[in-house]
Amino acid sequence: IVEKQELKNSNVINELSYKSLDESGNIYEINSAFGSIFEENENILLLKKVTAKISIVGDGIVYISSNEAKYDRMTLNTHFFGDASLTYQDHNVTSNDIFLKYTEKEVEISSNVKYVFNNNNLAADVMSFDLINKVSKIYMTNKKDKVKVKIKN
């Protein structure tokens, strides 16, 4: 709610697009229909209708989309929220929040995580993984709860 108010009270920038190339040749592109500069930190952009593409050298492309995002122009770290989704090859994840730590090449997905791969379904509180080595962790925040998995043959 505060972010929406700040968006209304600031200058709106239409059709934002940023592209970054790291030392390994990986490319991060983020686009939004419109956004504004966060009043408390000019390096943070508040974006609406967001799509992003992370091209990992020799390993494919990760696509992320959401209704909104907070993008740090200095670190490239991005918090995607509001109907957030991530797609990598045949892997699809939806949630309320996706946190990209671009310099570390890490993603944390939380809040109502739904994962689908080859018609298999998984539901959990948190999913995190490394974009380079593809190591994943999937867990519930309350140790008494269990990750729900549905496997179809």
Side-chain angles (χ1 to χ4, degrees), residues 63-95:
Y63 297 94
I64 303 174
S65 65
S66 65
N67 292 339
E68 302 180 65
K70 277 187 180 180
Y71 171 70
D72 187 318
R73 293 186 292 181
M74 298 302 288
T75 65
L76 308 182
N77 292 343
T78 310
H79 173 202
F80 299 89
F81 54 98
D83 286 329
S85 67
L86 180 147
T87 302
Y88 172 71
Q89 297 174 348
D90 293 335
H91 305 268
N92 296 296
V93 184
T94 59
S95 74

mmCIF file of all heavy atoms in Angstrom, residues 63-95:
data_model
loop_
_atom_site.group_PDB
_atom_site.id
_atom_site.type_symbol
_atom_site.label_atom_id
_atom_site.label_comp_id
_atom_site.label_asym_id
_atom_site.label_seq_id
_atom_site.Cartn_x
_atom_site.Cartn_y
_atom_site.Cartn_z
ATOM 1 N N TYR A 63 13.264 -17.412 -16.885
ATOM 2 C CA TYR A 63 12.305 -16.328 -17.080
ATOM 3 C C TYR A 63 11.559 -16.084 -15.770
ATOM 4 O O TYR A 63 11.144 -17.046 -15.111
ATOM 5 C CB TYR A 63 11.286 -16.685 -18.166
ATOM 6 C CG TYR A 63 11.895 -16.889 -19.524
ATOM 7 C CD1 TYR A 63 12.250 -18.154 -19.963
ATOM 8 C CD2 TYR A 63 12.120 -15.806 -20.370
ATOM 9 C CE1 TYR A 63 12.816 -18.350 -21.219
ATOM 10 C CE2 TYR A 63 12.679 -15.981 -21.623
ATOM 11 C CZ TYR A 63 13.031 -17.256 -22.038
ATOM 12 O OH TYR A 63 13.593 -17.443 -23.278
ATOM 13 N N ILE A 64 11.389 -14.818 -15.410
ATOM 14 C CA ILE A 64 10.644 -14.456 -14.207
ATOM 15 C C ILE A 64 9.646 -13.367 -14.586
ATOM 16 O O ILE A 64 9.980 -12.457 -15.352
ATOM 17 C CB ILE A 64 11.577 -13.942 -13.087
ATOM 18 C CG1 ILE A 64 12.641 -14.989 -12.741
ATOM 19 C CG2 ILE A 64 10.769 -13.571 -11.843
ATOM 20 C CD1 ILE A 64 13.690 -14.507 -11.759
ATOM 21 N N SER A 65 8.443 -13.453 -14.032
ATOM 22 C CA SER A 65 7.468 -12.388 -14.238
ATOM 23 C C SER A 65 6.697 -12.168 -12.941
ATOM 24 O O SER A 65 6.604 -13.059 -12.094
ATOM 25 C CB SER A 65 6.515 -12.730 -15.382
ATOM 26 O OG SER A 65 5.733 -13.850 -15.048
ATOM 27 N N SER A 66 6.157 -10.955 -12.800
ATOM 28 C CA SER A 66 5.355 -10.624 -11.625
ATOM 29 C C SER A 66 4.573 -9.347 -11.883
ATOM 30 O O SER A 66 4.860 -8.605 -12.829
ATOM 31 C CB SER A 66 6.235 -10.454 -10.383
ATOM 32 O OG SER A 66 7.095 -9.341 -10.541
ATOM 33 N N ASN A 67 3.611 -9.102 -11.024
ATOM 34 C CA ASN A 67 2.853 -7.852 -11.118
ATOM 35 C C ASN A 67 3.701 -6.657 -10.723
ATOM 36 O O ASN A 67 3.576 -5.581 -11.290
ATOM 37 C CB ASN A 67 1.609 -7.907 -10.225
ATOM 38 C CG ASN A 67 0.585 -8.901 -10.712
ATOM 39 O OD1 ASN A 67 0.577 -9.281 -11.875
ATOM 40 N ND2 ASN A 67 -0.271 -9.333 -9.809
ATOM 41 N N GLU A 68 4.583 -6.868 -9.723
ATOM 42 C CA GLU A 68 5.408 -5.779 -9.206
ATOM 43 C C GLU A 68 6.795 -6.293 -8.853
ATOM 44 O O GLU A 68 7.008 -7.490 -8.691
ATOM 45 C CB GLU A 68 4.767 -5.178 -7.950
ATOM 46 C CG GLU A 68 3.362 -4.649 -8.166
ATOM 47 C CD GLU A 68 2.770 -4.073 -6.905
ATOM 48 O OE1 GLU A 68 3.308 -3.058 -6.421
ATOM 49 O OE2 GLU A 68 1.792 -4.643 -6.414
ATOM 50 N N ALA A 69 7.733 -5.340 -8.713
ATOM 51 C CA ALA A 69 9.083 -5.705 -8.288
ATOM 52 C C ALA A 69 9.788 -4.489 -7.707
ATOM 53 O O ALA A 69 9.479 -3.349 -8.049
ATOM 54 C CB ALA A 69 9.892 -6.262 -9.455
ATOM 55 N N LYS A 70 10.744 -4.764 -6.816
ATOM 56 C CA LYS A 70 11.690 -3.760 -6.330
ATOM 57 C C LYS A 70 13.040 -4.155 -6.900
ATOM 58 O O LYS A 70 13.539 -5.251 -6.633
ATOM 59 C CB LYS A 70 11.771 -3.760 -4.805
ATOM 60 C CG LYS A 70 10.718 -2.992 -4.118
ATOM 61 C CD LYS A 70 11.022 -2.924 -2.626
ATOM 62 C CE LYS A 70 9.973 -2.138 -1.896
ATOM 63 N NZ LYS A 70 10.259 -2.078 -0.460
ATOM 64 N N TYR A 71 13.612 -3.282 -7.703
ATOM 65 C CA TYR A 71 14.856 -3.565 -8.416
ATOM 66 C C TYR A 71 15.941 -2.614 -7.942
ATOM 67 O O TYR A 71 15.756 -1.395 -7.962
ATOM 68 C CB TYR A 71 14.610 -3.402 -9.916
ATOM 69 C CG TYR A 71 15.848 -3.455 -10.778
ATOM 70 C CD1 TYR A 71 16.542 -4.643 -10.963
ATOM 71 C CD2 TYR A 71 16.313 -2.307 -11.417
ATOM 72 C CE1 TYR A 71 17.663 -4.688 -11.767
ATOM 73 C CE2 TYR A 71 17.431 -2.348 -12.236
ATOM 74 C CZ TYR A 71 18.106 -3.537 -12.402
ATOM 75 O OH TYR A 71 19.210 -3.587 -13.199
ATOM 76 N N ASP A 72 17.068 -3.156 -7.506
ATOM 77 C CA ASP A 72 18.209 -2.353 -7.077
ATOM 78 C C ASP A 72 19.154 -2.187 -8.260
ATOM 79 O O ASP A 72 19.764 -3.157 -8.712
ATOM 80 C CB ASP A 72 18.922 -3.031 -5.908
ATOM 81 C CG ASP A 72 20.012 -2.174 -5.300
ATOM 82 O OD1 ASP A 72 20.775 -1.528 -6.059
ATOM 83 O OD2 ASP A 72 20.122 -2.164 -4.062
ATOM 84 N N ARG A 73 19.279 -0.975 -8.750
ATOM 85 C CA ARG A 73 20.114 -0.712 -9.928
ATOM 86 C C ARG A 73 21.600 -0.937 -9.668
ATOM 87 O O ARG A 73 22.356 -1.164 -10.606
ATOM 88 C CB ARG A 73 19.898 0.722 -10.419
ATOM 89 C CG ARG A 73 18.509 0.942 -10.961
ATOM 90 C CD ARG A 73 18.349 2.297 -11.568
ATOM 91 N NE ARG A 73 18.415 3.350 -10.550
ATOM 92 C CZ ARG A 73 18.285 4.636 -10.804
ATOM 93 N NH1 ARG A 73 18.097 5.054 -12.036
ATOM 94 N NH2 ARG A 73 18.331 5.522 -9.839
ATOM 95 N N MET A 74 22.034 -0.900 -8.407
ATOM 96 C CA MET A 74 23.452 -1.087 -8.094
ATOM 97 C C MET A 74 23.814 -2.568 -7.977
ATOM 98 O O MET A 74 24.803 -3.012 -8.534
ATOM 99 C CB MET A 74 23.814 -0.348 -6.794
ATOM 100 C CG MET A 74 23.608 1.157 -6.892
ATOM 101 S SD MET A 74 24.563 1.937 -8.216
ATOM 102 C CE MET A 74 26.195 1.829 -7.554
ATOM 103 N N THR A 75 23.019 -3.333 -7.226
ATOM 104 C CA THR A 75 23.337 -4.746 -6.991
ATOM 105 C C THR A 75 22.631 -5.680 -7.967
ATOM 106 O O THR A 75 22.991 -6.851 -8.052
ATOM 107 C CB THR A 75 22.921 -5.164 -5.565
ATOM 108 O OG1 THR A 75 21.490 -5.077 -5.453
ATOM 109 C CG2 THR A 75 23.592 -4.288 -4.509
ATOM 110 N N LEU A 76 21.609 -5.183 -8.647
ATOM 111 C CA LEU A 76 20.724 -5.951 -9.538
ATOM 112 C C LEU A 76 19.806 -6.899 -8.772
ATOM 113 O O LEU A 76 19.023 -7.639 -9.368
ATOM 114 C CB LEU A 76 21.502 -6.729 -10.602
ATOM 115 C CG LEU A 76 22.510 -5.940 -11.428
ATOM 116 C CD1 LEU A 76 23.160 -6.837 -12.462
ATOM 117 C CD2 LEU A 76 21.885 -4.734 -12.087
ATOM 118 N N ASN A 77 19.885 -6.904 -7.442
ATOM 119 C CA ASN A 77 18.984 -7.730 -6.652
ATOM 120 C C ASN A 77 17.563 -7.246 -6.882
ATOM 121 O O ASN A 77 17.299 -6.048 -6.970
ATOM 122 C CB ASN A 77 19.332 -7.658 -5.170
ATOM 123 C CG ASN A 77 20.663 -8.310 -4.858
ATOM 124 O OD1 ASN A 77 21.180 -9.081 -5.660
ATOM 125 N ND2 ASN A 77 21.211 -8.007 -3.714
ATOM 126 N N THR A 78 16.646 -8.217 -6.987
ATOM 127 C CA THR A 78 15.270 -7.890 -7.329
ATOM 128 C C THR A 78 14.313 -8.722 -6.494
ATOM 129 O O THR A 78 14.489 -9.926 -6.360
ATOM 130 C CB THR A 78 14.998 -8.158 -8.826
ATOM 131 O OG1 THR A 78 16.027 -7.544 -9.609
ATOM 132 C CG2 THR A 78 13.650 -7.623 -9.247
ATOM 133 N N HIS A 79 13.301 -8.066 -5.936
ATOM 134 C CA HIS A 79 12.214 -8.752 -5.239
ATOM 135 C C HIS A 79 10.985 -8.666 -6.137
ATOM 136 O O HIS A 79 10.435 -7.587 -6.342
ATOM 137 C CB HIS A 79 11.946 -8.088 -3.885
ATOM 138 C CG HIS A 79 10.739 -8.626 -3.186
ATOM 139 N ND1 HIS A 79 10.078 -7.918 -2.218
ATOM 140 C CD2 HIS A 79 10.064 -9.801 -3.305
ATOM 141 C CE1 HIS A 79 9.045 -8.621 -1.780
ATOM 142 N NE2 HIS A 79 9.018 -9.761 -2.429
ATOM 143 N N PHE A 80 10.602 -9.800 -6.698
ATOM 144 C CA PHE A 80 9.408 -9.901 -7.536
ATOM 145 C C PHE A 80 8.247 -10.311 -6.634
ATOM 146 O O PHE A 80 8.397 -11.232 -5.826
ATOM 147 C CB PHE A 80 9.597 -10.976 -8.608
ATOM 148 C CG PHE A 80 10.730 -10.716 -9.554
ATOM 149 C CD1 PHE A 80 12.011 -11.172 -9.272
ATOM 150 C CD2 PHE A 80 10.528 -10.023 -10.741
ATOM 151 C CE1 PHE A 80 13.061 -10.947 -10.149
ATOM 152 C CE2 PHE A 80 11.568 -9.789 -11.615
ATOM 153 C CZ PHE A 80 12.842 -10.252 -11.323
ATOM 154 N N PHE A 81 7.097 -9.654 -6.762
ATOM 155 C CA PHE A 81 5.963 -10.029 -5.929
ATOM 156 C C PHE A 81 4.648 -9.744 -6.649
ATOM 157 O O PHE A 81 4.589 -8.953 -7.581
ATOM 158 C CB PHE A 81 6.012 -9.324 -4.566
ATOM 159 C CG PHE A 81 6.137 -7.821 -4.623
ATOM 160 C CD1 PHE A 81 5.020 -7.026 -4.497
ATOM 161 C CD2 PHE A 81 7.374 -7.211 -4.788
ATOM 162 C CE1 PHE A 81 5.117 -5.648 -4.538
ATOM 163 C CE2 PHE A 81 7.492 -5.839 -4.832
ATOM 164 C CZ PHE A 81 6.356 -5.041 -4.702
ATOM 165 N N GLY A 82 3.611 -10.450 -6.181
ATOM 166 C CA GLY A 82 2.297 -10.349 -6.823
ATOM 167 C C GLY A 82 2.232 -11.248 -8.036
ATOM 168 O O GLY A 82 2.723 -10.898 -9.094
ATOM 169 N N ASP A 83 1.677 -12.432 -7.881
ATOM 170 C CA ASP A 83 1.599 -13.421 -8.970
ATOM 171 C C ASP A 83 2.954 -13.628 -9.631
ATOM 172 O O ASP A 83 3.100 -13.549 -10.852
ATOM 173 C CB ASP A 83 0.568 -13.003 -10.025
ATOM 174 C CG ASP A 83 -0.850 -13.185 -9.546
ATOM 175 O OD1 ASP A 83 -1.083 -14.115 -8.747
ATOM 176 O OD2 ASP A 83 -1.729 -12.421 -9.968
ATOM 177 N N ALA A 84 3.950 -13.915 -8.819
ATOM 178 C CA ALA A 84 5.306 -14.131 -9.331
ATOM 179 C C ALA A 84 5.440 -15.539 -9.896
ATOM 180 O O ALA A 84 4.886 -16.497 -9.354
ATOM 181 C CB ALA A 84 6.328 -13.911 -8.215
ATOM 182 N N SER A 85 6.162 -15.655 -11.012
ATOM 183 C CA SER A 85 6.408 -16.973 -11.594
ATOM 184 C C SER A 85 7.816 -17.041 -12.160
ATOM 185 O O SER A 85 8.381 -16.028 -12.576
ATOM 186 C CB SER A 85 5.387 -17.297 -12.689
ATOM 187 O OG SER A 85 5.558 -16.441 -13.788
ATOM 188 N N LEU A 86 8.366 -18.235 -12.127
ATOM 189 C CA LEU A 86 9.701 -18.500 -12.653
ATOM 190 C C LEU A 86 9.625 -19.730 -13.530
ATOM 191 O O LEU A 86 8.999 -20.729 -13.150
ATOM 192 C CB LEU A 86 10.688 -18.728 -11.503
ATOM 193 C CG LEU A 86 12.128 -19.015 -11.878
ATOM 194 C CD1 LEU A 86 13.077 -18.428 -10.830
ATOM 195 C CD2 LEU A 86 12.392 -20.504 -12.016
ATOM 196 N N THR A 87 10.243 -19.663 -14.705
ATOM 197 C CA THR A 87 10.281 -20.797 -15.626
ATOM 198 C C THR A 87 11.717 -21.030 -16.057
ATOM 199 O O THR A 87 12.421 -20.093 -16.457
ATOM 200 C CB THR A 87 9.409 -20.527 -16.871
ATOM 201 O OG1 THR A 87 8.074 -20.263 -16.444
ATOM 202 C CG2 THR A 87 9.418 -21.710 -17.815
ATOM 203 N N TYR A 88 12.143 -22.292 -15.957
ATOM 204 C CA TYR A 88 13.449 -22.712 -16.455
ATOM 205 C C TYR A 88 13.248 -24.050 -17.152
ATOM 206 O O TYR A 88 12.861 -25.029 -16.511
ATOM 207 C CB TYR A 88 14.460 -22.837 -15.319
ATOM 208 C CG TYR A 88 15.771 -23.445 -15.754
ATOM 209 C CD1 TYR A 88 16.645 -22.734 -16.563
ATOM 210 C CD2 TYR A 88 16.111 -24.736 -15.373
ATOM 211 C CE1 TYR A 88 17.846 -23.299 -16.975
ATOM 212 C CE2 TYR A 88 17.305 -25.305 -15.786
ATOM 213 C CZ TYR A 88 18.164 -24.578 -16.582
ATOM 214 O OH TYR A 88 19.352 -25.137 -16.999
ATOM 215 N N GLN A 89 13.456 -24.076 -18.449
ATOM 216 C CA GLN A 89 13.206 -25.259 -19.266
ATOM 217 C C GLN A 89 11.788 -25.756 -19.003
ATOM 218 O O GLN A 89 10.847 -25.021 -19.227
ATOM 219 C CB GLN A 89 14.282 -26.316 -19.017
ATOM 220 C CG GLN A 89 15.663 -25.829 -19.422
ATOM 221 C CD GLN A 89 16.776 -26.787 -19.060
ATOM 222 O OE1 GLN A 89 16.600 -27.748 -18.313
ATOM 223 N NE2 GLN A 89 17.949 -26.514 -19.585
ATOM 224 N N ASP A 90 11.598 -27.004 -18.505
ATOM 225 C CA ASP A 90 10.268 -27.534 -18.219
ATOM 226 C C ASP A 90 9.851 -27.346 -16.769
ATOM 227 O O ASP A 90 8.842 -27.897 -16.334
ATOM 228 C CB ASP A 90 10.210 -29.023 -18.558
ATOM 229 C CG ASP A 90 10.345 -29.271 -20.045
ATOM 230 O OD1 ASP A 90 10.010 -28.363 -20.825
ATOM 231 O OD2 ASP A 90 10.791 -30.371 -20.432
ATOM 232 N N HIS A 91 10.606 -26.598 -15.996
ATOM 233 C CA HIS A 91 10.329 -26.359 -14.580
ATOM 234 C C HIS A 91 9.563 -25.050 -14.436
ATOM 235 O O HIS A 91 10.006 -24.013 -14.932
ATOM 236 C CB HIS A 91 11.626 -26.280 -13.768
ATOM 237 C CG HIS A 91 12.501 -27.478 -13.929
ATOM 238 N ND1 HIS A 91 12.425 -28.554 -13.083
ATOM 239 C CD2 HIS A 91 13.464 -27.774 -14.836
ATOM 240 C CE1 HIS A 91 13.309 -29.469 -13.458
ATOM 241 N NE2 HIS A 91 13.943 -29.014 -14.522
ATOM 242 N N ASN A 92 8.431 -25.106 -13.738
ATOM 243 C CA ASN A 92 7.607 -23.911 -13.526
ATOM 244 C C ASN A 92 7.317 -23.752 -12.040
ATOM 245 O O ASN A 92 6.884 -24.705 -11.384
ATOM 246 C CB ASN A 92 6.282 -24.033 -14.283
ATOM 247 C CG ASN A 92 6.510 -24.099 -15.775
ATOM 248 O OD1 ASN A 92 6.999 -23.146 -16.359
ATOM 249 N ND2 ASN A 92 6.177 -25.231 -16.379
ATOM 250 N N VAL A 93 7.556 -22.547 -11.532
ATOM 251 C CA VAL A 93 7.316 -22.250 -10.125
ATOM 252 C C VAL A 93 6.479 -20.982 -10.038
ATOM 253 O O VAL A 93 6.761 -19.997 -10.721
ATOM 254 C CB VAL A 93 8.640 -22.045 -9.353
ATOM 255 C CG1 VAL A 93 8.361 -21.825 -7.866
ATOM 256 C CG2 VAL A 93 9.591 -23.205 -9.546
ATOM 257 N N THR A 94 5.461 -21.020 -9.187
ATOM 258 C CA THR A 94 4.682 -19.821 -8.902
ATOM 259 C C THR A 94 4.697 -19.582 -7.396
ATOM 260 O O THR A 94 4.841 -20.532 -6.609
ATOM 261 C CB THR A 94 3.223 -19.939 -9.390
ATOM 262 O OG1 THR A 94 2.613 -21.060 -8.744
ATOM 263 C CG2 THR A 94 3.154 -20.094 -10.890
ATOM 264 N N SER A 95 4.563 -18.325 -7.012
ATOM 265 C CA SER A 95 4.539 -17.972 -5.589
ATOM 266 C C SER A 95 4.110 -16.523 -5.447
ATOM 267 O O SER A 95 3.845 -15.839 -6.434
ATOM 268 C CB SER A 95 5.914 -18.171 -4.950
ATOM 269 O OG SER A 95 6.785 -17.131 -5.363
#
